[in-house]
Amino acid sequence: MGARFNVANQMISVSSKNSSSEVTKPEETTKAQETTKATEATTKETQAPTKATEATTKETQAPTKATEASSVSTKGEKLILNANDVSTGKIKSSTVVDGIKIVATSKKTVTVDKSDKDYKNISFTKRIKLGGAGSESARAIAFKTAGESKVKIYATSSDTNTSRLIKIIDKNGNDVTSTAKIPGSSLKSVSFRLDEAGEYYIVSESGGVNIYYVEVSNGIAY
C-alpha cells in the first residue's frame, strides 16, 4: 500500500510541474504591457512632429494662394469711351459709360451733342464737351488703372482758332503728366503714360475741350 501511494504522489507531482510551466507569470504580463505602452508613446511622439510639419506647410501655402488671388484680381483690361455711345444732352452728375466716368455737377455740367468727324478709321457722330477747365470734382473724364498704363485721347479745342492744353491729374488734384496741346481746327490724338495703379482724371487746363475718344490700356471699370 505504501508503494502505490508514492507512485500516485509522483504522478501528481509531475502533473503539477507541467501545469505550472504553461502559466504566464504576472510579472511577465506587466512587463509586456509596459513595453507595449512605451512603444505606443514613442509612436505618438514620432507622429506629433509630422502633424506639426503638415500644419506649418499649410500655413506656408496659405499666403502663397492669397498672393496668387491678389495677383489675379489686379489684372486690368482695355477700357474705351467712345462719344458715340453717350446719350446726347447735359450731364449734371457723374455718369459711367463703358467703365469710364464722365464727372459733372449741376453747376459745372458736361454737354454731349452731335459732331460728325472721321478720324483713325472711326466715324464719330457725337462729342463730349467738357465746357471749361476741369478738376477731380467736375468737367473731367475719370478712369482707374491696375498698374502701368497707356492712355490715348482723341480731342479738339472748343475754339477753332485757339489751342487748348489737356493733362491728367490724380484724385488729389496733382498733375501726373505734362500738358498736351489740342488744336481747334481738327481732331488730334495724344497719348499719356501712367506708371502706377490709381484713379485719374483727364482735364482741360483752361477753356473748353471736346473729347471724342478715350482708351485706357490697363484699366479697371467703375
Side-chain angles (χ1 to χ4, degrees):
M1 292 294 290
R4 289 180 183 177
F5 180 80
N6 290 337
V7 170
N9 285 343
Q10 288 175 2
M11 291 177 65
I12 292 171
S13 177
V14 170
S15 176
S16 175
K17 287 180 181 179
N18 289 340
S19 177
S20 63
S21 64
E22 294 176 357
V23 176
T24 303
K25 294 181 179 180
E27 293 83 354
E28 293 176 351
T29 302
T30 304
K31 289 181 180 179
Q33 290 175 343
E34 289 176 353
T35 302
T36 302
K37 290 181 179 180
T39 302
E40 291 176 352
T42 302
T43 301
K44 290 180 180 179
E45 290 176 358
T46 304
Q47 290 175 340
T50 303
K51 292 181 179 179
T53 303
E54 291 174 354
T56 302
T57 302
K58 290 180 181 179
E59 290 176 359
T60 304
Q61 289 174 341
T64 302
K65 291 181 179 179
T67 302
E68 289 174 355
S70 177
S71 177
V72 172
S73 67
T74 57
K75 184 178 181 181
E77 61 180 322
K78 181 184 286 187
L79 299 177
I80 294 176
L81 172 63
N82 188 321
N84 293 345
D85 299 327
V86 187
S87 300
T88 55
K90 281 191 176 183
I91 299 175
K92 299 180 180 181
S93 61
S94 295
T95 302
V96 176
V97 180
D98 295 330
I100 295 177
K101 185 187 297 183
I102 301 171
V103 184
T105 66
S106 58
K107 293 184 178 180
K108 294 184 177 181
T109 62
V110 171
T111 301
V112 179
D113 65 4
K114 294 181 178 181
S115 178
D116 296 324
K117 287 186 182 294
D118 292 326
Y119 189 69
K120 301 285 186 180
N121 298 319
I122 301 176
S123 294
F124 293 105
T125 59
K126 299 178 186 178
R127 61 187 175 183
I128 303 168
K129 301 172 68 175
L130 296 183
S135 67
E136 69 277 12
S137 59
R139 290 177 176 165
I141 304 295
F143 58 91
K144 294 186 291 183
T145 66
E148 183 178 345
S149 185
K150 183 178 180 181
V151 182
K152 186 187 299 182
I153 305 165
Y154 302 165
T156 66
S157 167
S158 61
D159 186 337
T160 57
N161 299 314
T162 306
S163 294
R164 298 275 165 74
L165 299 175
I166 63 172
K167 61 184 178 182
I168 296 179
I169 61 176
D170 63 19
K171 63 182 180 180
N172 298 315
N174 301 315
D175 293 353
V176 293
T177 68
S178 57
T179 57
K181 185 178 288 188
I182 303 299
S185 56
S186 61
L187 263 173
K188 182 179 180 179
S189 173
V190 296
S191 295
F192 298 98
R193 184 171 295 279
L194 300 171
D195 296 329
E196 299 178 353
E199 186 171 25
Y200 300 98
Y201 301 79
I202 301 167
V203 298
S204 168
E205 193 165 75
S206 63
V209 170
N210 303 325
I211 304 292
Y212 288 77
Y213 181 92
V214 176
E215 179 181 307
V216 181
S217 67
N218 188 24
I220 298 174
Y222 281 100

